[in-house]
Amino acid sequence: MSVSIPQTVVYKQVTNHLNRTTNAGYAFISADYQLLPPATGHDIVQDIQAVLQFVTSREFTTTSPSLNEVEAGSASTEGLGFWVNPEAIAVAGSSAGGLCAYLAAVHCTSPKPKAIISMYGMGGDFFTSHYLSPKARPFFRGREILDPRDFIDYLHPNHDPDAPTDPRRFASLHPVADSALAYHPQTYHIPGYPANPRMLLPRLYLQLGVFLDYFTGAHDDGGISIPLRDALISKHESEAYDDSVAEFDNLIRTLVPVQHHGLFPHFAASKDWPPTLLVHGTEDSAVPIWDSRHLVKRLKALGVNVELYEVQGREHSFDYETGAEDLFGDVFDRVGDFLRSHIGGELNSSN
């Protein structure tokens, strides 16, 4: 038996939204993508394009009954075949997955997402001290400053604290799209500390102020982060602040090689950007809320249908908290209303 699934949500993180979307009759797809490094944002764009083309080009078969079928006592072991409707796809993600959603908005045209949802997504404004300035004190959810020497295999020679080093070590990293969640035991000197170094790489690159070098792959001539950092400092030191903002915008366009502009919503956003909902905690220290506020301002100037829902007093990953459905049910309802208005369906609570 085959049916057409009219709505599809492609999401990077599986959270409390899963039951809500499947209960509404949406196909819920959580996709992996290649990780930095050795991948760059360009590789991730190709992965995002590939997954949307993949899910709209073949029939799928369910392998387990839906939650509604189980609760109704009508579960069947027979798989249900379905096709994804390319005219009713939303792309959603949290944190780095939010950036993936932005990249889908820019680069996916066949099929083109009908809606974008970002849960505290990064990348709304990469040209801030959060991404460009080195940090010597805890900045990321109050967590300890990392020792770069613990991550030598993942550092380009530009950033190796024990340089000079063999550049072939960094160049020998193999592409990977899956990185296991692994933690040290409670007896470790930092109880529960990540045992898989890849889990800490985004934080390390932010701490060093060089995230954009790894995101773009632009390591030649010392990378792009240092000249961008210098430009940011000049903007902040300027007495004619309004004039310096315009000058800064023009300057960063020249400092970022044009082949990388498509990785930056700051440059690549256009009037064709799909309707977008952003949700962000006001106390987020991993991805400051300014990222979302800046992108909303930019998209509104282009005439895009966009809204930002600010969750007061909340940190990063607030929707992972115990009891999140009770605490943030109104937030999830708002996401559901947004989805229903743009790709249809009847999105109900997970209970």
Side-chain angles (χ1 to χ4, degrees):
M1 176 181 179
S2 296
V3 298
S4 174
I5 297 295
Q7 303 91 12
T8 301
V9 180
V10 180
Y11 197 73
K12 179 59 188 78
Q13 301 282 0
V14 178
T15 66
N16 295 285
H17 316 296
L18 174 58
N19 286 342
R20 288 170 170 265
T21 52
T22 55
N23 285 347
Y26 295 176
F28 187 100
I29 298 168
S30 179
D32 290 332
Y33 56 86
Q34 296 177 79
L35 303 176
L36 314 179
T40 69
H42 298 286
D43 299 303
I44 295 172
V45 166
Q46 293 180 1
D47 289 345
I48 295 167
Q49 292 172 325
V51 72
L52 290 189
Q53 292 168 2
F54 176 84
V55 301
T56 56
S57 64
R58 66 204 65 228
E59 182 180 13
F60 292 88
T61 303
T62 59
T63 56
S64 60
S66 70
L67 179 64
N68 285 343
E69 290 173 329
V70 172
E71 292 177 343
S74 59
S76 170
T77 57
E78 181 181 353
L80 175 67
F82 67 91
W83 292 83
V84 167
N85 181 357
E87 297 301 317
I89 293 177
V91 180
S94 58
S95 197
L99 174 57
C100 291
Y102 300 155
L103 294 175
V106 173
H107 294 281
C108 293
T109 57
S110 181
K112 182 177 178 62
K114 297 300 181 184
I116 299 294
I117 297 173
S118 169
M119 300 290 293
Y120 41 88
M122 68 187 304
D125 185 5
F126 275 131
F127 306 109
T128 66
S129 60
H130 186 70
Y131 297 99
L132 296 173
S133 298
K135 290 87 173 169
R137 297 180 179 179
F139 70 100
F140 191 102
R141 307 188 70 176
R143 294 171 183 169
E144 65 284 330
I145 289 294
L146 302 170
D147 186 345
R149 291 171 295 184
D150 294 335
F151 304 87
I152 293 299
D153 290 343
Y154 302 98
L155 289 176
H156 187 274
N158 289 346
H159 314 128
D160 192 330
D162 297 319
T165 186
D166 187 347
R168 292 175 295 182
R169 182 178 58 202
F170 180 79
S172 67
L173 286 172
H174 295 292
V176 59
D178 184 25
S179 185
L181 297 178
Y183 300 89
H184 288 291
Q186 293 300 307
T187 54
Y188 191 66
H189 71 278
I190 304 178
Y193 189 75
N196 177 356
R198 277 196 170 276
M199 295 170 62
L200 295 166
L201 290 184
R203 181 169 136 206
L204 175 68
Y205 299 150
L206 290 174
Q207 174 186 310
L208 297 176
V210 295
F211 178 86
L212 295 184
D213 291 0
Y214 293 88
F215 180 56
T216 60
H219 293 291
D220 292 344
D221 301 320
I224 63 173
S225 293
I226 292 177
L228 286 170
R229 185 184 310 154
D230 292 341
L232 181 64
I233 293 172
S234 296
K235 183 185 81 167
H236 289 165
E237 291 178 346
S238 173
E239 295 181 2
Y241 184 78
D242 291 340
D243 292 338
S244 70
V245 170
E247 292 176 3
F248 178 73
D249 195 63
N250 292 330
L251 179 57
I252 59 177
R253 287 180 180 274
T254 64
L255 293 176
V256 177
V258 66
Q259 65 266 30
H260 304 310
H261 282 197
L263 300 179
F264 294 81
H266 185 94
F267 300 140
S270 72
K271 61 181 179 60
D272 297 321
W273 187 288
T276 297
L277 172 66
L278 300 91
V279 181
H280 212 130
T282 58
E283 301 304 313
D284 196 325
S285 60
V287 179
I289 195 171
W290 168 254
D291 269 46
S292 290
R293 289 173 177 169
H294 176 83
L295 182 59
V296 166
K297 180 179 179 181
R298 208 159 187 87
L299 292 178
K300 283 186 175 180
L302 292 166
V304 174
N305 179 354
V306 58
E307 59 179 302
L308 169 61
Y309 185 74
E310 299 189 5
V311 185
Q312 296 299 315
R314 293 298 174 175
E315 247 284 6
H316 202 65
S317 303
F318 64 84
D319 54 335
Y320 283 76
E321 294 180 20
T322 301
E325 180 62 41
D326 293 330
L327 290 169
F328 309 114
D330 59 330
V331 179
F332 304 150
D333 287 342
R334 188 159 183 166
V335 174
D337 291 341
F338 177 82
L339 277 175
R340 185 171 58 250
S341 67
H342 292 288
I343 64 173
E346 191 61 42
L347 208 60
N348 302 313
S349 73
S350 63
N351 296 324

